[in-house]
Amino acid sequence: MTAFNPDKLFVELREGVTVTEPVFHRRYTLTHSDLTGELFLTIGLGFAKDKINPSKDEVLGEWTLFNGILVYNAYLDVDGLTNDPAASIKRNEIFRRELPLALTAIRFGDKQFFFAHPELNACPILVSFLSAYPQLNTVEYWGSFSDYAMFD
């Protein structure tokens, strides 16, 4: 995993979102540059479709209720644009290796929101690895944001 560098994170808040509100309908789009190592976090009422790149290697996330419990749901497109199982397996490995960095970036990039709603640090993170291949198409528990709050 690459080490998180706060100086390489750039955050954009879109219309309808402030540093502390809302909780529901708050959606996150995290993209990156392979060349510079920079991370770009867009927080809005919808996913930032204009930021999604052709390789589809972004991390999307949102707050939802699951069985009456507030959870953070992250979505990863394991297959991307490929129809090759070997390529999907490789992308899955990369997502798994880099996901802690992504969750740390989301937590750090929205830290004022977490300070305003400290209870959200304890909410479960559920990650959907989305794939046409059943062995890769999973939903997994990845801890809570308190596990990724490295800079408070």
Side-chain angles (χ1 to χ4, degrees), residues 8 19 47 56 63 65 72 75 97 99 110-111 114 124:
K8 290 196 171 209
V19 295
F47 297 119
K56 301 187 68 80
W63 295 99
L65 284 175
Y72 182 82
Y75 311 101
R97 183 180 66 233
L99 189 56
D110 210 13
K111 64 184 170 195
F114 283 95

Side-chain angles (χ1 to χ4, degrees), residues 115-126:
F115 290 149
H117 305 281
E119 69 281 5
L120 298 181
N121 284 298
C123 291
I125 298 171
L126 298 180

Side-chain angles (χ1 to χ4, degrees), residues 16-131:
V17 171
T18 70
V19 295
T20 60
E21 298 296 331
V23 174
F24 288 105
H25 306 294
R26 188 179 197 87
R27 294 195 171 91
Y28 301 79
T29 306
L30 182 70
T31 60
H32 71 280
S33 167
D34 285 331
L35 295 174
T36 65
E38 294 172 324
L39 297 168
F40 305 95
L41 178 62
T42 306
I43 305 169
L45 296 177
F47 297 119
K49 294 179 181 173
D50 58 307
K51 302 281 180 144
I52 295 173
N53 62 48
S55 64
K56 301 187 68 80
D57 57 0
E58 65 281 335
V59 176
L60 303 177
E62 66 183 333
W63 295 99
T64 63
L65 284 175
F66 180 75
N67 292 333
I69 298 169
L70 190 60
V71 300
Y72 182 82
N73 289 284
Y75 311 101
L76 310 172
D77 185 346
V78 173
D79 298 337
L81 299 176
T82 184
N83 291 322
D84 176 14
S88 291
I89 289 169
K90 183 66 174 169
R91 283 175 55 91
N92 186 56
E93 291 169 0
I94 293 168
F95 271 127
R96 289 174 179 284
R97 183 180 66 233
E98 298 299 331
L99 189 56
L101 169 75
L103 294 171
T104 299
I106 292 166
R107 172 60 179 76
F108 182 82
D110 210 13
K111 64 184 170 195
Q112 290 177 288
F113 175 74
F114 283 95
F115 290 149
H117 305 281
E119 69 281 5
L120 298 181
N121 284 298
C123 291
I125 298 171
L126 298 180
V127 179
S128 295
F129 294 85
L130 305 171
S131 175

